[in-house]
């Protein structure tokens, strides 16, 4: 029994292959047999003339011509030109098929959205779908010769039932010098809106969905009209045709087998049938014929679209869906897999071999050893465990445990006692001390560069001193007003520290002041240290009467109003912070 069934399947497959190979209707044989017979006849006529009718001298001339044609025949870019042309034609052919107007989606919406089982509701649904089919027929008879032969005039559409006499008069009344395939879609839209106003369509959202689907079909009809109007340029088609036929015209001479006795290169054999030349003609010429058949798929060729069948099928299924099948549902009942969580439909004996297990992925069957599936500790987390949030608060920006460099920019982060003790220590200006300090600076951590490179919220002291201003512009208070205590604590200077004061910088200027030390012994410090402490502060004073009352400071009276403080050398924000702390300490006194 199994052997008999297998033999039947094998015979069926062999029969289908033979029918596909030897089918005449719509086959390549039907398209090529005429050109192939002409090519075959011409080839053997030239061969007979070369071998029988020409003299020795004429044969030499013909042999030279054959070698010349065979060497230069490859210069014709037939593969490139023909391949690009066929790709363009096939793409255009498939796009036209995708734009065929099928009313299935529209009829589902009409059947479900337009309510009413009475005669008015039934007439409304059937009229809507008849308008849709009428629009499809009008565009198909404009692009398809088969449909036009079936409905050559609007009267034939009336007799066929796609249009009523009153609708035909209405269509003729709006006579325009253009194609009128769009008019039934306008009727469809207006009738749908009227149905919504009359309560046949409950919600405007449903009306919008219906009109969107109608516009989709209208767009497809417009695409078919555009494809029929704009075709592939004739020049391109002519170039491809001339390239193919000129190639095989040269093959008639260049592919002749010459006399082997004369020992021409590549002509050691004398064959009667040029098999590969015939196959090349079959492929290239067949390729060209296929492209010619696919340029217009709405003709009457064997492989063209069955447009008349589309018209019949669309009208039948659409009227059935909106009329007899409207609200005609089978009773609901439990299916045979009601209590089965994993239903398994059965297979027949013929399809049992196609049953396959579910696919879980290409890595599903990979097996690993027990040692390979163990999670390994993260070495980076172990090494960097000591550099966390606490180390950032403490000022440790690297793994180096050396003390940071001591300078005036990082001095703001020191405690108050360390600042005072550091300032009271005498500075060694000798060469030995200088060399020692240079060596310490080279070994110490480059705090200044690291401090500048770190973002503001990552710098040391940002979280511990939230009162520090985020702006790089320093806050300077006018003379006579003490700085807030919170700002003093930032710089580490308390009220008892009174070592600097504001004095006029030059006798000529009264608006410029310098921060000069009060202690005469301070002049023995290094000149660079004196320069670090010396800053010039300018005050631009104006009349208080010019400023508004709500902007006047109560403790300044009428002598000063809007004070604009400009710090020279404020290009570096860290110098501004240092000078601000010194200025506040003097203003407090």
């Amino acid at each position: 029994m199994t052997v008999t069934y297998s033999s039947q399947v094998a015979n069926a497959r062999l029969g289908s292959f033979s029918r596909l190979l030897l089918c005449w209707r719509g086959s390549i044989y039907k398209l090529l047999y005429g050109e192939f017979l002409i090519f075959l006849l011409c080839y053997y006529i030239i061969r007979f003339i070369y071998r029988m009718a020409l003299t020795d001298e004429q044969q030499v001339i013909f042999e030279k011509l054959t070698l010349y044609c065979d060497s230069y025949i490859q210069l014709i870019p037939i593969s490139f030109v023909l391949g690009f042309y066929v790709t363009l034609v096939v793409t255009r052919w498939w796009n036209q098929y995708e734009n065929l107007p099928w009313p299935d989606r529209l009829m589902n919406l009409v059947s479900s959205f337009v309510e009413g089982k009475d005669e008015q509701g039934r007439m409304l649904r059937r009229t809507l779908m008849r308008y849709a089919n009428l629009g499809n027929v009008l565009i198909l008879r404009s692009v398809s010769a088969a449909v036009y032969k079936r409905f050559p005039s609007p009267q034939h559409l009336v007799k066929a039932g796609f249009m009523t006499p009153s609708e035909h008069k209405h269509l003729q009344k709006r006579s325009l010098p253009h194609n009128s395939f769009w008019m039934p879609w306008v009727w469809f839209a207006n009738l749908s809106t009227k149905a919504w106003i009359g309560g046949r369509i409950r919600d405007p959202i449903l009306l919008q969905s219906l009109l969107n689907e109608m516009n989709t079909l209208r767009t497809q009809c417009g695409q078919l009209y555009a494809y029929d109007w704009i075709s592939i340029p004739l020049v391109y088609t002519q170039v491809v045709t001339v390239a193919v036929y000129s190639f095989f015209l040269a093959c008639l001479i260049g592919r002749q087998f010459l006399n082997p006795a004369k020992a021409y290169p590549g002509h050691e054999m004398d064959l009667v049938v040029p098999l590969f030349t015939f196959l090349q003609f079959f492929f290239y010429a067949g390729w060209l014929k296929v492209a010619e058949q696919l340029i217009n798929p709405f003709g009457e060729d064997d492989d063209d679209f069955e447009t008349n069948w589309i018209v019949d099928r669309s009208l039948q299924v659409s009227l059935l869906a909106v009329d007899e099948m409207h609200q005609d549902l089978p009773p609901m009942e439990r299916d045979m897999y009601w209590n089965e969580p994993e239903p398994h439909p059965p297979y027949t004996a013929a399809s049992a071999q196609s049953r396959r297990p579910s696919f879980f992925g290409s890595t599903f069957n990979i097996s690993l050893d027990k040692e390979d599936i163990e999670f390994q500790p993260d070495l980076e987390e172990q090494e960097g465990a000591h550099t966390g949030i606490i180390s950032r608060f403490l000022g440790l920006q690297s793994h180096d445990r050396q003390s940071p460099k001591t300078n005036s920019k990082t001095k703001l982060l020191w405690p108050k006692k360390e600042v005072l003790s550091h300032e009271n220590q005498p500075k060694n200006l000798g060469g030995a001390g200088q060399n020692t300090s240079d060596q310490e600076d080279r070994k110490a951590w480059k705090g200044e560069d690291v401090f500048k490179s770190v973002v503001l919220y990552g710098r040391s002291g940002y979280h511990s001193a939230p009162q520090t201003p985020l702006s790089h512009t320093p806050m300077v208070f006018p003379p006579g007003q003490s700085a807030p205590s919170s700002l003093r604590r930032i710089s580490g200077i308390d009220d008892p520290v009174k070592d600097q004061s504001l004095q006029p910088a030059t006798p000529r200027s009264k608006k410029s002041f310098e921060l000069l030390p009060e202690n005469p012994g301070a002049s023995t410090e290094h000149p660079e240290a004196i320069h670090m402490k010396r800053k010039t502060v300018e005050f631009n004073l104006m009349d208080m009467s010019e400023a508004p009352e709500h902007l006047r400071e109560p403790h300044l009276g009428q002598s000063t109003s809007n004070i604009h403080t400009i710090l020279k050398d404020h290009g570096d924000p860290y110098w501004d912070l240092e000078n601000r702390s010194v200025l506040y300490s003097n203003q407090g006194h």
Side-chain angles (χ1 to χ4, degrees), residues 146-221:
V147 178
Y148 182 81
K149 291 180 179 180
R150 183 179 180 182
F151 308 108
S153 64
Q155 289 78 10
H156 290 81
L157 294 176
V158 175
K159 295 179 179 179
F162 288 95
M163 186 168 46
T164 61
S166 59
E167 292 170 353
H168 176 253
K169 293 179 181 179
H170 199 77
L171 189 66
Q172 293 295 329
K173 184 174 62 176
R174 302 289 189 267
S175 59
L176 293 174
H178 306 290
N179 197 320
S180 59
F181 72 93
W182 51 271
M183 286 188 178
W185 299 110
V186 177
W187 297 346
F188 185 97
N190 293 331
L191 187 59
S192 300
T193 305
K194 185 177 180 181
W196 172 66
I197 295 175
R200 296 290 179 172
I201 300 177
R202 293 188 178 183
D203 195 89
I205 302 299
L206 303 180
L207 175 64
Q208 182 181 3
S209 301
L210 185 63
L211 294 180
N212 289 338
E213 187 60 34
M214 183 271 297
N215 288 326
T216 301
L217 285 177
R218 167 63 181 85
T219 303
Q220 292 177 346
C221 294

Side-chain angles (χ1 to χ4, degrees), residues 375-412:
F375 285 110
Q376 300 296 322
D378 193 352
L379 299 179
E380 296 181 359
E381 293 183 357
Q382 292 181 358
E383 293 178 358
H386 59 279
T387 58
I389 300 177
I390 300 178
S391 61
R392 186 176 63 181
F393 287 162
L394 297 178
L396 299 178
Q397 299 296 333
S398 66
H399 298 291
D400 195 355
R401 289 297 186 270
Q402 296 179 0
S403 59
K405 183 179 177 180
T406 303
N407 54 20
S408 58
K409 296 182 180 180
T410 59
K411 190 171 62 178
L412 294 175

Side-chain angles (χ1 to χ4, degrees), residues 8-29:
Q8 291 178 358
V9 172
N11 293 331
R13 292 179 179 177
L14 182 60
S16 61
F17 178 76
S18 61
R19 286 194 301 270
L20 180 63
L21 186 62
L22 302 177
C23 182
W24 178 258
R25 182 180 182 273
S27 63
I28 191 65
Y29 316 110

Side-chain angles (χ1 to χ4, degrees), residues 280-299:
Q280 198 171 22
F281 178 85
F282 185 80
F283 296 147
Y284 284 162
W287 212 359
L288 178 62
K289 289 298 180 179
V290 168
E292 292 177 353
Q293 292 294 315
L294 298 181
I295 288 180
N296 181 24
F298 294 101

Side-chain angles (χ1 to χ4, degrees), residues 19-177:
R19 286 194 301 270
L20 180 63
L21 186 62
L22 302 177
C23 182
W24 178 258
R25 182 180 182 273
S27 63
I28 191 65
Y29 316 110
K30 183 179 179 181
L31 298 175
L32 279 181
Y33 79 95
E35 286 85 351
F36 182 74
L37 290 178
I38 295 175
F39 179 79
L40 190 65
L41 181 62
C42 293
Y43 180 85
Y44 284 106
I45 289 176
I46 295 175
R47 178 183 175 86
F48 177 79
I49 294 174
Y50 163 65
R51 295 298 179 93
M52 301 299 178
L54 298 179
T55 62
D56 294 340
E57 296 179 357
Q58 293 175 347
Q59 287 183 357
V60 171
I61 297 175
F62 180 82
E63 290 166 357
K64 291 181 179 180
L65 180 62
T66 300
L67 295 176
Y68 176 80
C69 293
D70 187 52
S71 61
Y72 286 95
I73 196 175
Q74 303 300 330
L75 297 179
I76 301 177
I78 184 173
S79 299
F80 172 75
V81 174
L82 189 58
F84 187 78
Y85 178 71
V86 172
T87 301
L88 178 62
V89 171
V90 171
T91 303
R92 175 187 173 90
W93 170 79
W94 184 251
N95 289 336
Q96 292 183 74
Y97 170 75
E98 289 185 337
N99 284 285
L100 287 175
W102 299 94
D104 296 58
R105 295 177 56 182
L106 184 63
M107 71 184 185
N108 293 335
L109 296 182
V110 171
S111 179
S112 58
F113 291 168
V114 182
E115 299 179 355
K117 300 192 68 173
D118 54 346
E119 185 178 357
Q120 181 65 24
R122 180 186 177 188
M123 184 182 301
L124 184 61
R125 290 188 297 272
R126 291 180 65 92
T127 304
L128 287 174
M129 291 312 303
R130 189 165 51 78
Y131 287 161
N133 284 278
L134 177 60
N136 295 341
V137 172
L138 289 178
I139 191 60
L140 288 178
R141 68 184 294 269
S142 300
V143 301
S144 175
V147 178
Y148 182 81
K149 291 180 179 180
R150 183 179 180 182
F151 308 108
S153 64
Q155 289 78 10
H156 290 81
L157 294 176
V158 175
K159 295 179 179 179
F162 288 95
M163 186 168 46
T164 61
S166 59
E167 292 170 353
H168 176 253
K169 293 179 181 179
H170 199 77
L171 189 66
Q172 293 295 329
K173 184 174 62 176
R174 302 289 189 267
S175 59
L176 293 174

Side-chain angles (χ1 to χ4, degrees), residues 451-468:
F451 189 78
K452 290 181 180 180
S453 61
V454 177
V455 294
L456 182 60
Y457 57 82
R459 293 174 183 170
S460 303
Y462 175 79
H463 298 281
S464 60
Q467 68 274 18
T468 303

